[in-house]
Amino acid sequence: MIFSPGSFLWLVAHDLRLGMLRTRAIFGAARPATIALVVALIVAVFHVVAWPVAVWFTDAAETPQESGYYYPVLASAALFVLPWMMAQALTSATRALYSRGDLDLLLAAPISPRVVVCARALAIAIEVLTSVGIFIFPIANMCVVYGGWHWLAIYPALLASALFGAGVGLAMSVGLFVVLGPKRTRLIAQILATFIASAFMIGAQLVNVLPRRLRAQLLDAVNNPAPGGVFDREGLLWLPVRAATGDLGALLQWTSAAVVVFILSAIALGPRFMTSAMRSAG
């Protein structure tokens, strides 16, 4: 059975249950029906707020050069979402290193460490996707309603971003543990995750303090990129952006790259992750 105890999907479900319990604790002693109502209201409000954003996006997509800000906004969105996902994945992976109880039981069970780590990494990716998606998916839904079905590409593009972020976060947590040791990793990982998550806001402030002429030149470079340059929209840096806008080729490339990064991180770092987890327990 694919959901038999100890199987990969069973482990993923187990980790997701733990994540749901942590989320459930936020609401205190509230009843499940109350929690469901609050979540439904929040999602509904996000969809209402997302409507004018979706209208602007879809209208600007038809005449990107005339709007002037379409490509800069897309780039800013990618620079905001990807670091956010990597920071959250780093925090979750580091927490998993120091969590006791279920991890000790899994280590004592006749289960391959790689299976345990892959399941935990996938659960982290799903948690990251959920936490970010609650803000992004309403915009995608409204874009579909107003602009067409091709905006559904945001869903798989964001899933690929979550897998990419989980793979990078796992690699960063293990790397910090190897370099810094168990005593310093937790604190440094929290500081690094905060810095990564706030990097977009810091960068935005740096752009705001630039002279007006330099800001105009930067905006023109994004809207009219030189072939082969940093802002060339056919380059690798724009791959997630093109994937989210419905470019099928870019979507396949971005998804493939994210899956490869995720699998390599989970499989290659599985034993190292388990060793680090045991060292964190002394």
Side-chain angles (χ1 to χ4, degrees), residues 55-168:
V55 171
W56 184 89
F57 257 116
T58 51
D59 289 344
E62 296 179 359
T63 55
Q65 297 299 331
E66 294 181 10
S67 65
Y69 289 94
Y70 177 68
Y71 290 114
V73 169
L74 285 179
S76 300
L79 290 174
F80 176 70
V81 170
L82 282 175
W84 181 8
M85 286 184 161
M86 287 189 290
Q88 188 168 350
L90 173 60
T91 302
S92 299
T94 304
R95 182 178 61 240
L97 280 175
Y98 292 88
S99 65
R100 302 269 58 86
D102 69 314
L103 192 57
D104 290 336
L105 293 174
L106 292 173
L107 287 173
I111 305 174
S112 170
R114 284 190 173 89
V115 174
V116 175
V117 174
C118 287
R120 185 143 295 188
L122 182 57
I124 289 173
I126 295 174
E127 290 178 1
V128 169
L129 176 66
T130 303
S131 61
V132 177
I134 194 173
F135 301 100
I136 304 299
F137 289 150
I139 298 177
N141 295 336
M142 295 297 98
C143 284
V144 170
V145 172
Y146 184 79
W149 292 102
H150 67 281
W151 288 102
L152 284 176
I154 294 177
Y155 277 82
L158 201 62
L159 173 59
S161 301
L163 293 174
F164 181 85
V168 174

Side-chain angles (χ1 to χ4, degrees), residues 192-213:
L192 182 60
T194 302
F195 176 78
I196 293 173
S198 59
F200 171 79
M201 300 303 298
I202 296 174
Q205 294 304 316
L206 291 177
V207 172
N208 289 333
V209 300
L210 291 176
R212 181 178 301 177
R213 181 179 178 182

Side-chain angles (χ1 to χ4, degrees), residues 186-251:
R186 179 180 289 181
L187 175 62
I188 299 301
Q190 292 175 347
I191 295 174
L192 182 60
T194 302
F195 176 78
I196 293 173
S198 59
F200 171 79
M201 300 303 298
I202 296 174
Q205 294 304 316
L206 291 177
V207 172
N208 289 333
V209 300
L210 291 176
R212 181 178 301 177
R213 181 179 178 182
L214 190 56
R215 288 203 306 269
Q217 291 176 348
L218 182 61
L219 182 62
D220 181 68
V222 175
N223 280 317
N224 303 286
V230 176
F231 300 110
D232 185 4
R233 289 188 284 275
E234 298 301 320
L236 290 177
L237 292 179
W238 284 81
L239 190 60
V241 176
R242 298 200 309 272
T245 55
D247 185 329
L248 183 58
L251 181 59

